[in-house]
Amino acid sequence: DGGITQSPKYLFRKEGQNVTLSCEQNLNHDAMYWYRQDPGQGLRLIYYSQIVNDFQKGDIAEGYSVSREKKESFPLTVTSAQKNPTAFYLCASSPKTADQYTDTQYFGPGTRLTVL
Amino acid sequence: SQQGEEDPQALSIQEGENATMNCSYKTSINNLQWYRQNSGRGLVHLILIRSNEREKHSGRLRVTLDTSKKSSSLLITASRAADTASYFCATDEEGGSEKLVFGKGTKLTVNP
């Protein structure tokens, strides 16, 4: 059963705490992405990774960190430096394309983070 | 930065009617994609149209692309209550981009 999973579905954090959101895929995709979605808004890119042990900042990387030690896994840590972390977080993966075209992204079910 | 902007922001129709959503973008692109999101869920890819294509069909979906106007439209024919969702366009950038840029979406409600 192939797919992309995120855990937990809901996460509550006290102010000042770091939390890590899990993202795992068994699609053998090279690229993985983290997005943030606020109510009524589109997706904003936090970080992305094209290959293992390499990742790049997206548009809103401040207050977040990632690692890509394995092809299947791309965890996101929301640090205490992120001033407004309450949001819906989506992870996605994509196969690496041979040409310059961007391919389809496959999304996980999301994690809803709430800061108490 | 958000490249794609959908219009309208919200759309409410009756079952059986057609729904049309539009997307405008700013820079030249390689391709444009449409995604669907049910409330509180992840996005699901619907259709991809390349910059050298003008129209594409998939079931009840029809997508058009006008690169001269930097715009695209998504038409859902004979809508069903199950089509109720938010719809997003996403674009990359010409010349090769590893990233997609998503618009804010159109929230479609199909009333039974």
Side-chain angles (χ1 to χ4, degrees), chain A residues 50 95-103, chain B residues 30-31 48 50 92 95-98:
Chain A
Q50 298 291 305
K96 191 172 185 179
T97 56
D99 54 24
Q100 78 272 27
Y101 294 106
T102 309
D103 212 321
Chain B
N30 288 317
N31 65 53
L48 180 153
R50 299 214 185 274
D92 63 355
S97 171
E98 301 161 327

Side-chain angles (χ1 to χ4, degrees), chain A residues 86-105:
Chain A
T86 294
F88 189 50
Y89 291 87
L90 286 160
C91 180
S93 69
S94 178
K96 191 172 185 179
T97 56
D99 54 24
Q100 78 272 27
Y101 294 106
T102 309
D103 212 321
T104 299
Q105 292 190 7

Side-chain angles (χ1 to χ4, degrees), chain A residues 61-77:
Chain A
E62 186 175 349
Y64 300 97
S65 66
V66 293
S67 63
R68 187 85 186 278
E69 297 176 2
K70 298 186 298 181
K71 188 175 185 178
E72 306 79 30
S73 179
F74 191 40
L76 173 75
T77 297

Side-chain angles (χ1 to χ4, degrees), chain B residues 12-77:
Chain B
S12 181
I13 60 174
Q14 297 299 121
E15 229 174 3
E17 294 179 341
N18 295 344
T20 300
M21 290 157 268
N22 303 295
C23 169
S24 59
Y25 56 92
K26 298 173 184 173
T27 66
S28 297
I29 60 172
N30 288 317
N31 65 53
L32 184 144
Q33 303 181 39
W34 284 92
Y35 288 81
R36 165 197 170 121
Q37 183 182 35
N38 285 55
S39 182
R41 310 289 291 273
L43 276 69
V44 175
H45 179 258
L46 294 175
I47 199 164
L48 180 153
I49 186 166
R50 299 214 185 274
S51 58
N52 60 356
E53 298 175 310
R54 291 296 166 258
E55 188 169 313
K56 206 162 182 180
H57 297 256
S58 177
R60 293 184 295 113
L61 305 180
R62 173 179 167 248
V63 169
T64 62
L65 179 63
D66 187 335
T67 52
S68 67
K69 295 181 179 178
K70 293 187 170 57
S71 68
S72 173
S73 67
L74 170 67
L75 169 67
I76 303 174
T77 60

